[in-house]
Each structure stands twice: as C-alpha cells, then as structure tokens.
Amino acid sequence: MRFTEPLGPISADRLVDHPIASKRLFEKQNDVQMSAVSGSGIIIGRKGSGKTAFLDYLRTTCPHTVVYLDAPNVFPTILKSIRGVFGVNSPNVEIVAHLWEMLVWCTVFGALLNEPGDARLVAIRRFAIDIGFSENNEPADIIRRVVLSLAKRSEQAGYGIETQLDLLELVDGSGKLYTTALETAKRIVTPLGRPIGQARVLVLMDTMERYRLEQDAANDALGGLIRYLGVLAENEWLLDVRFCLPAELYETFRRASSNVTKDFSTQAVLHWTSGELWRIAAHRLALYLELYDEHSLERLLALNVAQDRASSIALFRKLLPPELATEPKLGQDAIGQHLEQSMTYIARHTQLLPRDFLHILNRILYRALDPASGSLGEITQRMVLDGVKEAVPTISDGIRSAFEYRYPHLWDVCAAAIPELHRRFGEGELHTVFNQHVKGVLKRLAEAGREADMSFHEFKRMLVETGAIGKQIDETDRFWECQFEYSVPGEMVVSSRDMLCVHPLFNARFSSLVNGTAEKLVYPYGVDPDFE
C-alpha cells in the first residue's frame, strides 16, 4: 500500500507474486464472492469484478494440491489443435469435453509428481516420460505437449479422433499408460477415510478476455470446455474445477453450448451491490491505517467496521462530506445546483465493480493524506469531485478494453452518439442520432478497412450490453432511476417504448452541451449504499 494507492492495487494481477498481501487484502466476509466458494464450476463476472482476486484467495487458502491454468496460455494451444486432432469436421461436443478432461488430469499428474514419496507415482511418471513432460513443466506446457503428442500420433495413424476410444488410443499409442496413470492418480488423491465429495485437488483456470471466440475451432473448444465444466467435472468429485468466464463474452459462451441448461447448471455470477463494495473499501482502509495512521485506526475500530456492512457504510458517511454540489440545475424554475450524497455520487460513476470503486476511492483518499506521515486528514467536497473526475477516463477505458474483441468500434460509436443524446431520451431520439451521426462514422471506418457494419438494433444492443445506456424504471423529484444490464442476470430486455438514460460514467466521459446539464440526475439501480 502506497500513499498514491491507500486502498492498495486495484488489479489482482499485481498481487500474483505476493500471496500474503493478496490474502490480507481479500475481504472474505463479502456475500458475493463467498457464495461462489463451493459448488460453482463456472464463475461469471465482468472485467474488474474480482474474478482473479477470488481465484487467488482460493489458491492461497486451499490446504490441498492446487493446479493453476492460465487461460491466455492454455486456450490458444487448444484452438490450434482442434483441427489437427479432430480432422476437418466439427467434433462431437462430448469428445472435446473428454479431451479437456484428459488435459486437466495431465496437469494434475504434473502436480502430483511434485509431491514425491509415494511409490505409486512410478505409473504416472511412465506416462509423463512417454509424452515428454515432468514435474518441472508448467501446466500450460504440459497441455501443449499432450496436444502435440495427440496431433503427431493422429497424423501417423492416418485418422482423427472421432470417439473417446480414439482419444485414449492416440494419447500414448494404446491408452494403457494414460489409463493406468489416471487410475493411480485417483487412488492417490483419495486417501483412506476421506469423505466422498471432498476434493483434494483444486484446479483453477483464469479468465480469457483477449481472444476472438467466434471462429469454428473456438466454438468447438468452448463447447467442449463448457460441457466438461458443467457435467463431467461436476460428477468428478476428486477434482474441484473453477473456471472464470468474462461476462462480456457470456453470450458467446452460451452460443457455443449445445445444452445451455445442462452446461451452465453450476454457474455463479459476481453481481455486486454498493454496500458490499463499501465493505471491501473499509477493510482495505483499515489495513492502510494500521500501517500509517494508528490514531485514525483506533477511531475506525471503535465503529466495528470489520463486523458488518452497516458499520462500513457508517464509516464512510463519517469520513466523506455529507453532500456535494455536483452541477448546475437545468429547467425553467431551476435554481442553484444539484445536491447529492458523496457516497451516491461515487457509486453512480462506477458500474458497481470492485476495481472501479477502489480506483475512485484511491484518487480521493490520497488527496487527504499528509504527504510526510501518510495520516488521513479531512476529505473535502473538492477532493471527492476531483477524485471522481480523475478516475472517469481510466474506468471508462477499462470498459472499452473489456469489450474490445466483441465491439471493436465501441468508442468510435460512443464518441459520435452520446454527446448528441440527452440524459433521458426515447427510442426515436436514439434512432435519429444513429442515422445522423453514427452511420457516417461506420462508413468512414469501413472505408478505412475497419469492418463496421451495424444495424440500429445492433447499435442499441451494444450500448445496452456495455452499460452505456439503461432503461428508466422510476422517477423522483431529483433522479431518474435506471436499470443497467450489468446489474441484472443475463440480457436486459428493452422495449421500443422504454425511456432510456445515459450512464453517468459515459455521460462524464462524453460530456457535451446537449447532455452536460439536465433537470435531474441519472441514478443507476443498486448504487444506494443501503440497498440489499
């Protein structure tokens, strides 16, 4: 923790090599991630929702064997192998699922070889030597070697894999070495007296957010992976397999599934409320004060912030200015400025993701720190406003990055459309903006060689899916309350009669004379810190 980041790093990637720090920073009392600790093979969450932090927590607290598969290294190997191993025709999803099962078990073989002392390991070592890996190889390298062996033997045999029997025969020439190694590994990870249903090996696969997944080979690989996670791994109680799936690619994964109900039966979705995020922030603030400001820490502990969410919220209500004058009011009888609670203002400029929340609070809190001692001073209205303003470009760029491969022209389109939209608008205004401002951008992109064909329906769906716009669900004298897709499970249905709103984050990033002021503020559903 540094003065510029008093709540610590916003990305768990920076903590991979620091397991003690990762474990301390993880707030394990939150209901969102803890609901996914048991019984969930597929963990779904947006970029910045805490998927990597969750895996790191499991990895550092698991008392048993852990295998960590880095998806960006593993998945390209599988994609390259699909056609070579299975031939020109798309393989049956069950066969690809069994391939994934074999590859996962081979990485478990490698992990077990790192636990010497068991004479039974000789059977696993024979198979490993035949394939060309040892305990010194990383899981991704083991997968690569197994796939290369399958492809080579498939070419030598003159046929591809069409059945599970073909898979077994080609993996080592007969399947006997693999079968014997598998049976041995299962006996090793099933000690006498261990209750059935308690896995001894934890297999973690991190998310893959940076790959185009629409190609046929990718669909085959994805379909097999999802079937393995949803069915085979669920029935294989010896292994506890967790795979993080980016919500930005959720629909791509669903399309790759041949049986959505069956394949996604064990999914858990990381959906955050404002209250849970304030609890994470309070936990991290306590760690910072423990290091740099013991006097403030004593006052913090007196509020019992570590005990429950309500106390965490009470802490920030005490620390932050109660109200902010955020912007001039607009309207015939409008006088003065919009006033709102600091906590609401901060939460409105996020999509309720831990990474965004921590980034804004880091920008605010460091302004209130004594540069010499690091102690926490008074947080003013200006510090909150400037902190949010500084954080908006980084947070919005994170959304662009998360959807880069699904919507490569998102920012070009947003830059053309959102400055022309009022904060609240109907479908007619959206259609007019599409015709008058977006079509020209798409044409220029196409002329520049950047494929950019998009209908109005696809344009609207993109804005809804990315959280740039939402639909109004309520109205008060100060706010338009809106639902955004990131806060609902699955796809949010929007009719042609719904009133729509620009998200405050996108409104701030693409502010203009049209949307810079309004008679009311947009209030995303779920930003109230007391919301359950």
Side-chain angles (χ1 to χ4, degrees):
M1 289 180 158
R2 305 174 296 180
F3 288 4
T4 55
E5 290 182 316
L7 300 188
I10 63 173
S11 174
D13 293 336
R14 290 169 53 190
L15 296 169
V16 171
D17 297 325
H18 305 280
I20 296 177
S22 177
K23 188 175 179 180
R24 290 210 67 191
L25 286 170
F26 188 84
E27 204 291 298
K28 56 183 177 292
Q29 299 301 322
N30 73 79
D31 295 333
V32 177
Q33 287 168 316
M34 289 301 96
S35 66
V37 165
S38 60
S40 301
I42 302 175
I43 313 298
I44 301 170
R46 296 186 71 170
K47 185 176 182 179
S49 63
K51 301 187 298 296
T52 300
F54 175 66
L55 291 190
D56 284 345
Y57 170 75
L58 293 179
R59 181 165 52 172
T60 56
T61 57
C62 179
H64 308 301
T65 302
V66 177
V67 175
Y68 186 82
L69 303 177
D70 187 15
N73 289 326
V74 170
F75 202 72
T77 298
I78 305 298
L79 293 186
K80 293 175 183 176
S81 72
I82 290 294
R83 287 295 175 255
V85 172
F86 291 101
V88 295
N89 298 319
S90 290
N92 181 281
V93 65
E94 301 290 345
I95 304 305
V96 184
H98 282 294
L99 171 62
W100 276 104
E101 179 182 38
M102 175 181 287
L103 296 175
V104 168
W105 269 108
C106 286
T107 64
V108 174
F109 296 166
L112 294 178
L113 290 174
N114 270 302
E115 302 176 5
D118 193 322
R120 294 173 294 181
L121 288 173
V122 65
I124 295 176
R125 194 172 298 280
R126 285 197 191 101
F127 172 75
I129 291 172
D130 180 76
I131 297 297
F133 71 86
S134 70
E135 62 270 26
N136 297 320
N137 294 106
E138 293 293 326
D141 191 35
I142 291 175
I143 286 178
R144 183 182 66 83
R145 291 169 185 262
V146 174
V147 167
L148 287 175
S149 177
L150 280 168
K152 180 179 179 180
R153 283 173 168 145
S154 173
E155 183 179 1
Q156 292 173 341
Y159 63 90
I161 296 172
E162 296 182 359
T163 67
Q164 188 177 359
L165 180 61
D166 293 336
L167 180 61
L168 289 174
E169 288 182 346
L170 290 174
V171 69
D172 58 29
S174 65
K176 293 180 180 178
L177 289 177
Y178 172 76
T179 301
T180 303
L182 179 61
E183 292 172 350
T184 301
K186 289 183 176 181
R187 286 195 296 270
I188 292 174
V189 301
T190 315
L192 292 176
R194 185 171 184 80
I196 292 178
Q198 293 186 12
R200 186 190 164 223
V201 180
L202 177 64
V203 181
L204 306 175
M205 183 181 291
D206 204 351
T207 185
M208 44 187 161
E209 294 168 330
R210 293 190 170 274
Y211 291 95
R212 294 188 182 275
L213 301 173
E214 283 74 23
Q215 301 93 336
D216 290 341
N219 273 323
D220 293 337
L222 286 176
L225 172 61
I226 294 167
R227 175 58 52 85
Y228 168 65
L229 293 168
V231 180
L232 297 183
E234 177 69 7
N235 295 328
E236 178 56 88
W237 59 269
L238 295 174
L239 304 181
D240 184 0
V241 183
R242 308 298 179 90
F243 168 60
C244 284
L245 186 160
E248 294 85 353
L249 296 174
Y250 182 60
E251 290 305 316
T252 299
F253 277 74
R254 285 175 58 87
R255 287 194 297 270
S257 169
S258 60
N259 189 326
V260 173
T261 302
K262 180 188 293 186
D263 293 345
F264 286 88
S265 61
T266 62
Q267 73 177 29
V269 181
L270 300 182
H271 269 158
W272 293 90
T273 64
S274 177
E276 291 286 357
L277 296 174
W278 286 113
R279 184 168 187 166
I280 290 175
H283 168 74
R284 290 198 172 201
L285 180 58
L287 294 177
Y288 173 83
L289 296 177
E290 182 182 333
L291 292 173
Y292 298 106
D293 191 349
E294 292 183 358
H295 176 68
S296 295
L297 177 63
E298 292 174 1
R299 291 188 289 119
L300 182 149
L301 293 177
L303 292 171
N304 294 321
V305 298
Q307 301 302 314
D308 55 49
R309 184 173 61 177
S311 298
S312 300
I313 294 170
L315 165 69
F316 281 100
R317 283 189 170 135
K318 184 177 181 66
L319 290 177
L320 296 168
E323 274 192 328
L324 301 173
T326 56
E327 63 181 59
K329 291 182 179 179
L330 180 67
Q332 185 176 355
D333 301 320
I335 300 175
Q337 292 188 306
H338 286 292
L339 297 177
E340 60 178 307
Q341 294 182 7
S342 294
M343 295 176 73
T344 300
Y345 180 72
I346 291 169
R348 285 200 309 116
H349 287 83
T350 75
Q351 291 193 341
L352 295 180
L353 297 171
R355 181 179 299 179
D356 301 348
F357 224 77
L358 294 174
H359 182 55
I360 287 182
L361 289 173
N362 272 336
R363 298 302 89 218
I364 294 171
L365 291 171
Y366 98 90
R367 287 175 159 81
L369 299 180
D370 184 298
S373 66
S375 60
L376 182 63
E378 179 187 3
I379 301 174
T380 66
Q381 287 193 36
R382 178 47 53 194
M383 290 175 183
V384 176
L385 294 171
D386 288 349
V388 170
K389 183 178 181 180
E390 182 184 356
V392 162
T394 300
I395 295 173
S396 56
D397 283 345
I399 298 171
R400 175 175 61 177
S401 174
F403 285 97
E404 180 180 4
Y405 289 88
R406 181 158 173 78
Y407 297 118
H409 309 304
L410 172 63
W411 239 228
D412 298 283
V413 172
C414 284
I418 292 179
E420 305 299 332
L421 290 169
H422 290 88
R423 289 191 191 176
R424 187 179 70 154
F425 54 91
E427 174 134 328
E429 180 178 341
L430 185 65
H431 214 143
T432 298
V433 167
F434 176 75
N435 289 333
Q436 295 182 359
H437 300 280
V438 174
K439 282 186 174 180
V441 171
L442 297 175
K443 182 179 179 181
R444 288 194 294 272
L445 289 171
E447 290 172 349
R450 299 168 60 190
E451 183 180 350
D453 186 24
M454 181 180 291
S455 67
F456 171 74
H457 173 75
E458 291 167 334
F459 160 70
K460 180 181 176 182
R461 173 95 287 274
M462 179 185 72
L463 295 183
V464 170
E465 186 176 334
T466 57
I469 65 173
K471 65 178 180 181
Q472 181 184 339
I473 58 174
D474 201 358
E475 184 173 0
T476 70
D477 59 339
R478 299 169 64 190
F479 296 105
W480 294 306
E481 185 173 8
C482 296
Q483 182 96 61
F484 291 87
E485 185 161 295
Y486 60 78
S487 64
V488 301
E491 183 176 308
M492 183 175 72
V493 177
V494 180
S495 78
S496 60
R497 295 183 298 277
D498 281 320
M499 291 302 294
L500 307 170
C501 295
V502 178
H503 192 282
L505 184 61
F506 282 78
N507 193 90
R509 182 62 188 265
F510 300 101
S511 181
S512 71
L513 292 175
V514 176
N515 63 30
T517 56
E519 61 268 27
K520 296 184 182 182
L521 301 172
V522 174
Y523 191 91
Y525 179 77
V527 300
D528 184 344
D530 297 314
F531 176 81
E532 293 289 343

